[in-house]
Each structure stands twice: as C-alpha cells, then as structure tokens.
Amino acid sequence: MADSTTTTPTADAATQTTAETLPSAPVIGFHPPRKLILTKEQLEAFQESKTHETIVFYIAALNEAVVGVKLTDDLPVSPGVQAVLDILERVAETARGIPPVDNKASRFGNPAFRTFYDKVSEIAPELHRTIPGLPEDAIPEVTVYFDEAWGNRTRIDYGSGMELNFLCWMICIDKLGVFQESDQAALVIKVFWRYIEVMRVLQSTYWLEPAGSHGVWGLDDYHFLPFLWGAAQLRGHKYIKPKSIHDSDTVEEFSKQYMYLACIKFINSVKTASLRWHSPMLDDISAVKTWEKVNTGLRKMFLAEVLGKLPVMQHFLFGTILPWDGPLPALPAGSPGQEDAHWGHAHAMGDLGGVGQRENGWGDCCGIPVPSVFGALQDGQVKGRVPGAILSGPGIRPVPFD
C-alpha cells in the first residue's frame, strides 16, 4: 500500500505521502521474527533501513485515507478486512471467557492475563488460516506479531510497542497481498479501532500495567496511534478544534465519530482531576490552532518517541517480511536469551547478574512497575473518590510539562 521510494523518509516527507503501493513480501522462506535491536548503533541503523521506511509510509498512507472519515461512516469491507475483523471478535470472545482471578489485594496486572495470552497464542494459527490468500507457510511468522500485540505475558503490561506490533501485523498481511489500496480507510476505521476496543476490554479486565515508567504518558497510558489517526480524521473540521477536548458536551457528542475524542472520553472516565494534571501533553496540544498541525506534530512525535527510542524498539521483531539489514554484534557474556522477557534490555546486559531485574533495579526500558489505571480507579471508588474530581491536599501540585 504505502512505500516505494528508496530513500529513508523524514517526518516532513512522510507528511506529503498519500497512497503509494507497498512492495509485496519477498519470495523466500518465512521464519518467526526475532528481536535484534540491542544498542544505540543498531537503533540508528534501523532508522536508515527499508523496514523503518515501510512503517513510516504505511502510517502516512493510512493517515491520509481517514482525513474527514468518521467512525460511524459506512465503509466497504473487503473479504480480507472482514476476516481480520472476525479474528478480533474471536479474541474478544476469548477474553470474555477468561475472567480475572481474585486479586483484590493488588492494583497490578491480573495473572489471568497469562491464561488469555496462552489461549490466543494457541488458536492464532487456526485463526490466520481463515484469512483469504494468506500463505500457509507465512503463518508462523505473522502470528508472532499478532501474539505480541496484546501485551507482555511475563510483565502483564502494555504500551506503544505492543500497539506497534499490531500495526506490523497489518503491514505483514498487507504485504502478503490480502488487503487492497481501497481497504486503507477501513483498516483504520474498522480494523484498528476494533483492536483498540478489544484492548480496552483487556486493559480493564486484566489491569494491564503501562509498559515502562515514562514515555508517551502525556497522551495515554497505553496508546499513541488513535491520537495520530484521530487527528487526521478531524483535519479541516469546521467546528471541532483542538481546544474542544476541554468541552465535555463536545467530547460526549462526537466521541462515537472520532477516535481522538473517544480517547479523551476514556481518559476522563478513568482519571481524576483535569487533563493538565494527568495528561499535560494532551492539554498542551489543545492550544494548537489546527488539527493539521496536531496531526503533523504527532507524526513527528511518533518517529521520535516510538520508532526512535531504544526502550521501545529493543522489542521490535524482524523476520522476512519486515527484515533486518543492520549489524549483529555478539551478546555480552551472561546476558539472557530471547525467551527471557528482558532479553536485550540495557539493564540485562554486561555485569548486572542475570536479567538484572531483582538485584539491580528496573532499567529505563521496564521502568518502575506502575499500577493499572483501572486498579487505581477501583481503589478510588472504594475510598469514595469520584472520577474527574479535582485532587486536593498538602503536597498536591500539577505535573510540569517538558
């Protein structure tokens, strides 16, 4: 769908891209993808790579496809898109069939998520065989991105890296010829938004922790792309402006039509006080005059804060469809293998003693474990706090934006 140039795109160049065609996947043997970015030098090599270019242009193409399109618009759904939607519904059904275990003493991730994760991984090959035109021998490679899109099984957390895995899953299926250029709007409005809805179920059911202790937190504890593509939806809107996120009536009325406002409504439903306190980045963005500038800024931010950050990209998976063509340095002695949840992490390298987690503290990539917002919300309800109420008391002050 999007991406055919030979130079690595800048954010500005990507902004001008609309609907070029993704090259088809190379005709070679498929294999399960693996993590290969361990160092700053490897990250820099990735940023100059064809895979980075593919991701940037894919985001750009889908971005342009949803300008002015509402979530409620009646879009054509191709057989490939419908098959993917059916898969997402099976995931939602699986979650409904695996309730959280009694874990009331903790506000952190619920262990039942691991049961859900294992079940989804078990049925993933079967689900992918329902996608028309998807090669059978590609399924072991494609399903890895699918499995990793729901959260980390070990840490029971979720962040923009897992969201990126879902994007890569769509890219892989697209490059294998399942989707068409005419599917671009539906891939965001139907497929991606359904994924976000399923993730809200998982986040609220299993209290998934935000991945890391900092990062893209001013937007959402978990997501980035709904804001980016949501801003594209609102480009050129006559009445809804970036500052409209502070108008509760506007948010309530239009949240069913626009992803950006739906995300604002979600945040307001689970967090206390105002956006300035708990989501300073969103509050700051609301001062921008047009959605065009918001959209462009978020795309640049995605390049810098997601694709350009080692704590996120050390988890990125490379296979044959999204290949790695950078350097492969040897791992330090004593570092964990790829099966370890902290494989490749900075705190797990060198002389830190195994994974370096319990003995040496949490690295920049994992952060200090942070309770799920849903756990905090329930705790607040038990103690009589109301969502949206202003926090007060000694020592309470607004979080500065930097």
Side-chain angles (χ1 to χ4, degrees):
M1 280 170 42
D3 154 35
S4 62
T5 62
T6 57
T7 57
T8 301
T10 63
D12 290 332
T15 302
Q16 302 302 320
T17 302
T18 54
E20 301 176 30
T21 303
L22 272 178
S24 58
V27 185
I28 54 179
F30 298 96
H31 64 74
R34 55 185 182 144
K35 302 174 185 177
L36 291 168
I37 297 178
L38 305 179
T39 66
K40 179 182 177 182
E41 291 71 27
Q42 288 175 308
L43 177 62
E44 291 170 351
F46 165 72
Q47 291 174 306
E48 299 295 326
S49 70
K50 188 67 176 179
T51 292
H52 182 275
E53 178 186 328
T54 295
I55 295 169
V56 171
F57 277 115
Y58 197 79
I59 291 172
L62 298 192
N63 187 79
E64 296 305 310
V66 298
V67 174
V69 182
K70 301 175 183 177
L71 293 173
T72 52
D73 285 351
D74 186 16
L75 299 176
V77 176
S78 69
V81 169
Q82 186 58 57
V84 168
L85 288 172
D86 292 342
I87 287 175
L88 295 180
E89 187 55 41
R90 282 288 302 277
V91 174
E93 290 175 2
T94 301
R96 287 193 288 269
I98 303 175
V101 299
D102 187 1
N103 199 35
K104 294 178 181 178
S106 173
R107 288 164 53 178
F108 293 90
N110 193 284
F113 173 75
R114 297 188 179 112
T115 304
F116 161 82
Y117 182 99
D118 291 342
K119 182 62 178 178
V120 169
S121 296
E122 176 188 334
I123 65 176
E126 165 203 336
L127 296 178
H128 282 72
R129 291 188 184 98
T130 66
I131 300 177
L134 189 70
E136 175 72 24
D137 55 349
I139 290 177
E141 179 167 341
V142 176
T143 54
V144 175
Y145 294 104
F146 178 77
D147 293 345
E148 295 301 312
W150 309 110
N152 183 274
R153 184 189 185 281
T154 302
R155 300 189 304 271
I156 314 182
D157 65 8
Y158 179 94
S160 52
M162 288 77 167
E163 182 184 74
L164 179 59
N165 280 326
F166 186 82
L167 176 70
C168 290
W169 181 64
M170 292 200 301
I171 292 175
C172 289
I173 294 173
D174 200 326
K175 289 179 67 123
L176 291 169
V178 174
F179 302 139
Q180 303 172 13
E181 187 175 311
S182 57
D183 290 329
Q184 289 180 341
L187 286 174
V188 177
I189 300 300
K190 301 293 186 182
V191 172
F192 181 75
W193 187 243
R194 182 55 182 148
Y195 166 69
I196 295 298
E197 291 178 329
V198 175
M199 281 312 311
R200 295 303 191 202
V201 172
L202 301 185
Q203 290 154 7
S204 60
T205 300
Y206 304 120
W207 292 8
L208 301 185
E209 301 166 25
S213 61
H214 70 292
V216 195
W217 275 29
L219 297 183
D220 184 314
D221 280 355
Y222 302 110
H223 296 287
F224 193 110
L225 287 173
F227 294 94
L228 192 160
W229 286 329
Q233 285 183 282
L234 287 160
R235 276 167 46 185
H237 199 286
K238 291 183 178 180
Y239 307 110
I240 301 176
K241 305 300 179 184
K243 65 181 181 181
S244 299
I245 66 170
H246 299 290
D247 187 308
S248 58
D249 292 336
T250 298
V251 171
E252 180 65 32
E253 182 176 355
F254 293 99
S255 60
K256 292 182 176 61
Q257 299 177 22
Y258 299 105
M259 285 186 285
Y260 200 102
L261 298 182
C263 289
I264 295 296
K265 180 180 178 181
F266 166 77
I267 292 171
N268 288 337
S269 72
V270 298
K271 298 234 177 178
T272 58
S274 68
L275 288 174
R276 163 52 63 183
W277 289 47
H278 53 66
S279 305
M281 184 84 66
L282 284 172
D283 184 75
D284 193 66
I285 290 172
S286 70
V288 177
K289 297 299 182 183
T290 68
W291 288 110
E292 288 80 1
K293 290 185 177 180
V294 171
N295 191 215
T296 300
L298 287 175
R299 289 171 66 176
K300 291 178 179 179
M301 185 178 176
F302 189 87
L303 289 178
E305 300 299 326
V306 178
L307 297 183
K309 283 291 189 288
L310 185 58
V312 177
M313 297 312 298
Q314 65 189 355
H315 299 285
F316 191 83
L317 297 160
F318 296 91
T320 56
I321 306 172
L322 294 173
W324 168 257
D325 54 13
L328 294 170
L331 290 174
S335 59
Q338 286 205 43
E339 71 282 355
D340 193 283
H342 305 284
W343 183 88
H345 289 199
H347 64 81
M349 298 292 102
D351 300 321
L352 295 184
V355 296
Q357 194 74 12
R358 187 172 295 106
E359 297 81 6
N360 294 278
W362 293 81
D364 188 45
C365 46
C366 297
I368 300 170
V370 176
S372 160
V373 65
F374 297 97
L377 175 64
Q378 184 176 76
D379 183 59
Q381 290 173 338
V382 170
K383 296 177 180 177
R385 291 195 296 270
V386 179
I390 295 179
L391 295 172
S392 61
I396 299 296
R397 58 179 179 174
V399 176
F401 172 70
D402 53 46

